[in-house]
Amino acid sequence: MTRLTLDELARLDELQSAYMSALDGKKMRSWLDTFEDDPSASYICIARNDVESGLRVAMMLDDCRDRLIDRCTFIEDIWAGTFQDYRTRHFVQRVHASRRADGLVDMVSNFSVIFTPDDTGLPQQLAAGTYEDIIRMEGDQCRFLSRNAVTDNAVVPRYLVFPL
C-alpha cells in the first residue's frame, strides 16, 4: 500500500461530497454516477455484528451494477409516493486511504446519518458506522467500485429507502 498525494486525497473528498450531496438531495441518478460503470460495482449496507459473525445478511445488497440501477429505478419510479418520505443529512470523515498494489484505492471513513421524517419534522439518528470503500482513480475520474456501509447499530429506527 502506498500513500496518496494531497491532490488524490482532495479528489477522494470530492467523491465523498458528491455522494452525500446526491443522497441528501434525493438525486438517485447522481448517486449512481459516484459508482464505477463496471458490472461488478456494488453497494452493501450491513450491520457490524453480522459482519463480525460472518453472516451476509444485509439491509441492502446491491451486489452488481444492475442492482445499483434497480435501486434508482425503484426509488424514483416504483416506490414513489408509497412510503413515508424522509430527508437525510450525511456527515462523513475519511480516516484512512491508501493505494493498493493493483492500483485501486482502499478508503475507510466514519459516517453518521441523521433523518427527518416529512410528517414530524423531528430529526433523529438513523445510523452510524464506517464506509469501507474500494475506489478506482484514473485520470480525473474517481468512482466507487464498491462501497460497504457497515453500521454500528444492528437495527435502524425505521425502514431504509435511500442508501446510507
Side-chain angles (χ1 to χ4, degrees), residues 106-133:
D106 285 330
M107 182 169 70
V108 176
S109 303
N110 292 330
F111 72 83
S112 176
V113 181
I114 306 296
F115 80 102
T116 305
D118 285 355
D119 64 340
T120 67
L122 299 173
Q124 299 175 50
Q125 180 79 32
L126 181 60
T130 57
Y131 290 129
E132 299 172 359
D133 304 319

mmCIF file of all heavy atoms in Angstrom, residues 106-133:
data_model
loop_
_atom_site.group_PDB
_atom_site.id
_atom_site.type_symbol
_atom_site.label_atom_id
_atom_site.label_comp_id
_atom_site.label_asym_id
_atom_site.label_seq_id
_atom_site.Cartn_x
_atom_site.Cartn_y
_atom_site.Cartn_z
ATOM 1 N N ASP A 106 -8.037 1.841 -1.359
ATOM 2 C CA ASP A 106 -8.847 1.448 -0.202
ATOM 3 C C ASP A 106 -9.066 2.692 0.637
ATOM 4 O O ASP A 106 -8.118 3.438 0.913
ATOM 5 C CB ASP A 106 -8.126 0.406 0.658
ATOM 6 C CG ASP A 106 -8.129 -0.984 0.049
ATOM 7 O OD1 ASP A 106 -9.083 -1.308 -0.677
ATOM 8 O OD2 ASP A 106 -7.170 -1.735 0.305
ATOM 9 N N MET A 107 -10.311 2.912 1.038
ATOM 10 C CA MET A 107 -10.608 4.055 1.895
ATOM 11 C C MET A 107 -11.590 3.618 2.977
ATOM 12 O O MET A 107 -12.532 2.872 2.697
ATOM 13 C CB MET A 107 -11.209 5.203 1.076
ATOM 14 C CG MET A 107 -11.497 6.453 1.899
ATOM 15 S SD MET A 107 -11.896 7.912 0.913
ATOM 16 C CE MET A 107 -13.516 7.486 0.276
ATOM 17 N N VAL A 108 -11.374 4.108 4.183
ATOM 18 C CA VAL A 108 -12.285 3.883 5.302
ATOM 19 C C VAL A 108 -12.680 5.254 5.839
ATOM 20 O O VAL A 108 -11.822 6.122 6.029
ATOM 21 C CB VAL A 108 -11.626 3.038 6.413
ATOM 22 C CG1 VAL A 108 -12.552 2.909 7.613
ATOM 23 C CG2 VAL A 108 -11.225 1.669 5.884
ATOM 24 N N SER A 109 -13.976 5.433 6.063
ATOM 25 C CA SER A 109 -14.497 6.693 6.591
ATOM 26 C C SER A 109 -15.537 6.384 7.655
ATOM 27 O O SER A 109 -16.267 5.396 7.547
ATOM 28 C CB SER A 109 -15.175 7.511 5.487
ATOM 29 O OG SER A 109 -14.301 7.755 4.427
ATOM 30 N N ASN A 110 -15.602 7.230 8.665
ATOM 31 C CA ASN A 110 -16.688 7.154 9.634
ATOM 32 C C ASN A 110 -17.871 7.944 9.094
ATOM 33 O O ASN A 110 -17.681 8.957 8.416
ATOM 34 C CB ASN A 110 -16.255 7.742 10.975
ATOM 35 C CG ASN A 110 -15.198 6.901 11.638
ATOM 36 O OD1 ASN A 110 -15.134 5.695 11.473
ATOM 37 N ND2 ASN A 110 -14.335 7.554 12.398
ATOM 38 N N PHE A 111 -19.080 7.470 9.380
ATOM 39 C CA PHE A 111 -20.264 8.216 8.948
ATOM 40 C C PHE A 111 -21.311 8.262 10.048
ATOM 41 O O PHE A 111 -21.364 7.397 10.929
ATOM 42 C CB PHE A 111 -20.878 7.639 7.663
ATOM 43 C CG PHE A 111 -21.591 6.326 7.834
ATOM 44 C CD1 PHE A 111 -22.907 6.277 8.277
ATOM 45 C CD2 PHE A 111 -20.959 5.124 7.533
ATOM 46 C CE1 PHE A 111 -23.578 5.067 8.433
ATOM 47 C CE2 PHE A 111 -21.613 3.910 7.689
ATOM 48 C CZ PHE A 111 -22.923 3.878 8.135
ATOM 49 N N SER A 112 -22.132 9.292 9.949
ATOM 50 C CA SER A 112 -23.316 9.436 10.778
ATOM 51 C C SER A 112 -24.401 9.984 9.864
ATOM 52 O O SER A 112 -24.148 10.911 9.090
ATOM 53 C CB SER A 112 -23.046 10.412 11.927
ATOM 54 O OG SER A 112 -24.211 10.624 12.694
ATOM 55 N N VAL A 113 -25.583 9.382 9.918
ATOM 56 C CA VAL A 113 -26.692 9.835 9.088
ATOM 57 C C VAL A 113 -27.867 10.194 9.994
ATOM 58 O O VAL A 113 -28.317 9.379 10.795
ATOM 59 C CB VAL A 113 -27.124 8.759 8.062
ATOM 60 C CG1 VAL A 113 -28.272 9.267 7.201
ATOM 61 C CG2 VAL A 113 -25.946 8.335 7.186
ATOM 62 N N ILE A 114 -28.326 11.433 9.843
ATOM 63 C CA ILE A 114 -29.493 11.932 10.558
ATOM 64 C C ILE A 114 -30.658 11.918 9.573
ATOM 65 O O ILE A 114 -30.473 12.232 8.399
ATOM 66 C CB ILE A 114 -29.261 13.379 11.050
ATOM 67 C CG1 ILE A 114 -27.980 13.494 11.875
ATOM 68 C CG2 ILE A 114 -30.472 13.919 11.804
ATOM 69 C CD1 ILE A 114 -27.971 12.713 13.149
ATOM 70 N N PHE A 115 -31.846 11.536 10.044
ATOM 71 C CA PHE A 115 -33.010 11.597 9.156
ATOM 72 C C PHE A 115 -34.105 12.423 9.805
ATOM 73 O O PHE A 115 -34.235 12.480 11.034
ATOM 74 C CB PHE A 115 -33.519 10.198 8.790
ATOM 75 C CG PHE A 115 -34.373 9.540 9.845
ATOM 76 C CD1 PHE A 115 -35.759 9.505 9.712
ATOM 77 C CD2 PHE A 115 -33.807 8.935 10.949
ATOM 78 C CE1 PHE A 115 -36.555 8.896 10.676
ATOM 79 C CE2 PHE A 115 -34.585 8.320 11.917
ATOM 80 C CZ PHE A 115 -35.971 8.304 11.776
ATOM 81 N N THR A 116 -34.874 13.088 8.954
ATOM 82 C CA THR A 116 -36.008 13.889 9.409
ATOM 83 C C THR A 116 -37.234 13.473 8.616
ATOM 84 O O THR A 116 -37.306 13.725 7.406
ATOM 85 C CB THR A 116 -35.750 15.397 9.199
ATOM 86 O OG1 THR A 116 -34.527 15.747 9.847
ATOM 87 C CG2 THR A 116 -36.899 16.224 9.759
ATOM 88 N N PRO A 117 -38.201 12.786 9.246
ATOM 89 C CA PRO A 117 -39.431 12.415 8.535
ATOM 90 C C PRO A 117 -40.208 13.663 8.125
ATOM 91 O O PRO A 117 -40.277 14.632 8.898
ATOM 92 C CB PRO A 117 -40.213 11.596 9.560
ATOM 93 C CG PRO A 117 -39.217 11.194 10.606
ATOM 94 C CD PRO A 117 -38.189 12.282 10.621
ATOM 95 N N ASP A 118 -40.778 13.640 6.943
ATOM 96 C CA ASP A 118 -41.558 14.789 6.469
ATOM 97 C C ASP A 118 -42.765 15.062 7.356
ATOM 98 O O ASP A 118 -43.155 16.210 7.539
ATOM 99 C CB ASP A 118 -42.030 14.557 5.024
ATOM 100 C CG ASP A 118 -40.901 14.724 4.022
ATOM 101 O OD1 ASP A 118 -39.784 15.116 4.420
ATOM 102 O OD2 ASP A 118 -41.137 14.456 2.823
ATOM 103 N N ASP A 119 -43.344 14.006 7.928
ATOM 104 C CA ASP A 119 -44.582 14.213 8.698
ATOM 105 C C ASP A 119 -44.357 14.812 10.084
ATOM 106 O O ASP A 119 -45.196 15.544 10.587
ATOM 107 C CB ASP A 119 -45.388 12.912 8.789
ATOM 108 C CG ASP A 119 -44.662 11.818 9.541
ATOM 109 O OD1 ASP A 119 -43.419 11.889 9.674
ATOM 110 O OD2 ASP A 119 -45.335 10.873 9.999
ATOM 111 N N THR A 120 -43.203 14.531 10.723
ATOM 112 C CA THR A 120 -42.977 15.051 12.069
ATOM 113 C C THR A 120 -41.996 16.213 12.106
ATOM 114 O O THR A 120 -42.081 17.050 13.006
ATOM 115 C CB THR A 120 -42.431 13.952 13.010
ATOM 116 O OG1 THR A 120 -41.117 13.589 12.572
ATOM 117 C CG2 THR A 120 -43.357 12.749 13.040
ATOM 118 N N GLY A 121 -41.050 16.232 11.188
ATOM 119 C CA GLY A 121 -40.033 17.280 11.188
ATOM 120 C C GLY A 121 -39.044 17.167 12.330
ATOM 121 O O GLY A 121 -38.296 18.099 12.599
ATOM 122 N N LEU A 122 -39.016 16.015 13.018
ATOM 123 C CA LEU A 122 -38.117 15.821 14.152
ATOM 124 C C LEU A 122 -36.907 14.991 13.744
ATOM 125 O O LEU A 122 -37.040 13.792 13.471
ATOM 126 C CB LEU A 122 -38.853 15.123 15.301
ATOM 127 C CG LEU A 122 -40.052 15.881 15.882
ATOM 128 C CD1 LEU A 122 -40.789 15.001 16.889
ATOM 129 C CD2 LEU A 122 -39.597 17.175 16.521
ATOM 130 N N PRO A 123 -35.711 15.595 13.704
ATOM 131 C CA PRO A 123 -34.516 14.848 13.304
ATOM 132 C C PRO A 123 -34.145 13.786 14.331
ATOM 133 O O PRO A 123 -34.318 13.980 15.534
ATOM 134 C CB PRO A 123 -33.426 15.915 13.215
ATOM 135 C CG PRO A 123 -34.058 17.216 13.528
ATOM 136 C CD PRO A 123 -35.445 16.983 14.000
ATOM 137 N N GLN A 124 -33.621 12.657 13.818
ATOM 138 C CA GLN A 124 -33.182 11.550 14.660
ATOM 139 C C GLN A 124 -31.966 10.898 14.022
ATOM 140 O O GLN A 124 -31.770 10.974 12.812
ATOM 141 C CB GLN A 124 -34.273 10.482 14.772
ATOM 142 C CG GLN A 124 -35.577 10.927 15.376
ATOM 143 C CD GLN A 124 -36.600 9.801 15.302
ATOM 144 O OE1 GLN A 124 -36.315 8.680 15.682
ATOM 145 N NE2 GLN A 124 -37.781 10.112 14.790
ATOM 146 N N GLN A 125 -31.197 10.211 14.841
ATOM 147 C CA GLN A 125 -30.060 9.443 14.325
ATOM 148 C C GLN A 125 -30.605 8.223 13.588
ATOM 149 O O GLN A 125 -31.392 7.459 14.147
ATOM 150 C CB GLN A 125 -29.167 8.987 15.478
ATOM 151 C CG GLN A 125 -27.968 8.180 15.059
ATOM 152 C CD GLN A 125 -26.843 9.039 14.533
ATOM 153 O OE1 GLN A 125 -26.672 10.173 14.972
ATOM 154 N NE2 GLN A 125 -26.088 8.526 13.596
ATOM 155 N N LEU A 126 -30.198 8.047 12.334
ATOM 156 C CA LEU A 126 -30.605 6.878 11.559
ATOM 157 C C LEU A 126 -29.569 5.772 11.684
ATOM 158 O O LEU A 126 -29.901 4.625 11.959
ATOM 159 C CB LEU A 126 -30.813 7.248 10.091
ATOM 160 C CG LEU A 126 -31.258 6.140 9.138
ATOM 161 C CD1 LEU A 126 -32.598 5.552 9.564
ATOM 162 C CD2 LEU A 126 -31.346 6.675 7.711
ATOM 163 N N ALA A 127 -28.306 6.137 11.494
ATOM 164 C CA ALA A 127 -27.246 5.128 11.564
ATOM 165 C C ALA A 127 -25.895 5.805 11.736
ATOM 166 O O ALA A 127 -25.709 6.962 11.364
ATOM 167 C CB ALA A 127 -27.239 4.274 10.298
ATOM 168 N N ALA A 128 -24.968 5.047 12.300
ATOM 169 C CA ALA A 128 -23.573 5.465 12.397
ATOM 170 C C ALA A 128 -22.738 4.235 12.105
ATOM 171 O O ALA A 128 -23.170 3.106 12.342
ATOM 172 C CB ALA A 128 -23.264 6.017 13.781
ATOM 173 N N GLY A 129 -21.561 4.457 11.583
ATOM 174 C CA GLY A 129 -20.693 3.324 11.276
ATOM 175 C C GLY A 129 -19.523 3.738 10.422
ATOM 176 O O GLY A 129 -19.039 4.874 10.512
ATOM 177 N N THR A 130 -19.065 2.801 9.585
ATOM 178 C CA THR A 130 -17.933 3.071 8.697
ATOM 179 C C THR A 130 -18.292 2.692 7.272
ATOM 180 O O THR A 130 -19.045 1.748 7.028
ATOM 181 C CB THR A 130 -16.677 2.272 9.112
ATOM 182 O OG1 THR A 130 -16.981 0.880 9.127
ATOM 183 C CG2 THR A 130 -16.155 2.694 10.469
ATOM 184 N N TYR A 131 -17.762 3.477 6.355
ATOM 185 C CA TYR A 131 -17.770 3.110 4.943
ATOM 186 C C TYR A 131 -16.438 2.424 4.667
ATOM 187 O O TYR A 131 -15.380 2.950 5.029
ATOM 188 C CB TYR A 131 -17.868 4.338 4.040
ATOM 189 C CG TYR A 131 -19.182 5.062 4.040
ATOM 190 C CD1 TYR A 131 -19.221 6.439 4.248
ATOM 191 C CD2 TYR A 131 -20.382 4.405 3.796
ATOM 192 C CE1 TYR A 131 -20.422 7.136 4.217
ATOM 193 C CE2 TYR A 131 -21.585 5.096 3.775
ATOM 194 C CZ TYR A 131 -21.595 6.453 3.976
ATOM 195 O OH TYR A 131 -22.777 7.147 3.946
ATOM 196 N N GLU A 132 -16.487 1.268 4.025
ATOM 197 C CA GLU A 132 -15.287 0.551 3.615
ATOM 198 C C GLU A 132 -15.339 0.486 2.095
ATOM 199 O O GLU A 132 -16.161 -0.233 1.529
ATOM 200 C CB GLU A 132 -15.259 -0.828 4.266
ATOM 201 C CG GLU A 132 -15.242 -0.732 5.780
ATOM 202 C CD GLU A 132 -15.416 -2.070 6.492
ATOM 203 O OE1 GLU A 132 -15.582 -3.105 5.813
ATOM 204 O OE2 GLU A 132 -15.385 -2.068 7.734
ATOM 205 N N ASP A 133 -14.477 1.275 1.460
ATOM 206 C CA ASP A 133 -14.577 1.502 0.023
ATOM 207 C C ASP A 133 -13.385 0.971 -0.756
ATOM 208 O O ASP A 133 -12.262 0.955 -0.250
ATOM 209 C CB ASP A 133 -14.666 3.007 -0.264
ATOM 210 C CG ASP A 133 -15.806 3.687 0.470
ATOM 211 O OD1 ASP A 133 -16.891 3.090 0.531
ATOM 212 O OD2 ASP A 133 -15.604 4.804 0.965
#
